[in-house]
Amino acid sequence: MAPSENKSVDKECELRGFWLTRIVFLRSLAFIYSVAFAVSLFQNKALLGEDGILPIPVYMNRLRSHFKLQSGETKVSSFLSVPTLFWFVPAQHTDTALNIISNT
């Protein structure tokens, strides 16, 4: 066997040797992420909803006053400093936006 053929055979054996580990790891990781998103679906309203511990409208109003923005205005610099999708969500629809974000 030529040395280049030997390297490809070694690589093929190496890839075949870890197939079970790869499948178990990826499925476990997918399960962990699924549980995390399911938990966030139920806890987001209590933590960040309109009646939550730190309501998103209050937080976004603080950010707008910090960056000296008007109520509907969004500047690129403020988005890059605090990257969140809630810059684009009206204050009255935060609970709906939380459900949509946690489901995607």
Side-chain angles (χ1 to χ4, degrees):
M1 249 189 212
S4 63
E5 289 177 23
N6 193 15
K7 286 182 184 178
S8 66
V9 170
D10 288 342
K11 195 179 240 184
E12 185 178 323
C13 289
E14 185 177 308
L15 289 175
R16 270 196 250 149
F18 296 112
W19 67 271
L20 182 61
T21 306
R22 187 177 322 124
I23 288 173
V24 169
F25 176 75
L26 290 176
R27 301 278 164 90
S28 301
L29 189 63
F31 175 73
I32 290 169
Y33 272 97
S34 299
V35 169
F37 279 104
V39 167
S40 74
L41 176 65
F42 295 109
Q43 289 186 356
N44 278 345
K45 281 187 184 177
L47 296 173
L48 303 171
E50 292 176 8
D51 298 324
I53 295 172
L54 176 63
I56 290 176
V58 172
Y59 178 67
M60 294 309 294
N61 286 334
R62 287 181 188 167
L63 286 176
R64 283 188 180 91
S65 67
H66 174 75
F67 290 110
K68 297 176 180 58
L69 300 173
Q70 300 300 321
S71 64
E73 186 181 10
T74 305
K75 289 189 179 176
V76 175
S77 62
S78 61
F79 182 77
L80 293 177
S81 297
V82 184
T84 178
L85 294 174
F86 291 103
W87 283 110
F88 310 108
V89 175
Q92 65 269 20
H93 299 297
T94 55
D95 286 345
T96 307
L98 279 169
N99 285 339
I100 292 171
I101 289 171
S102 65
N103 282 330
T104 55

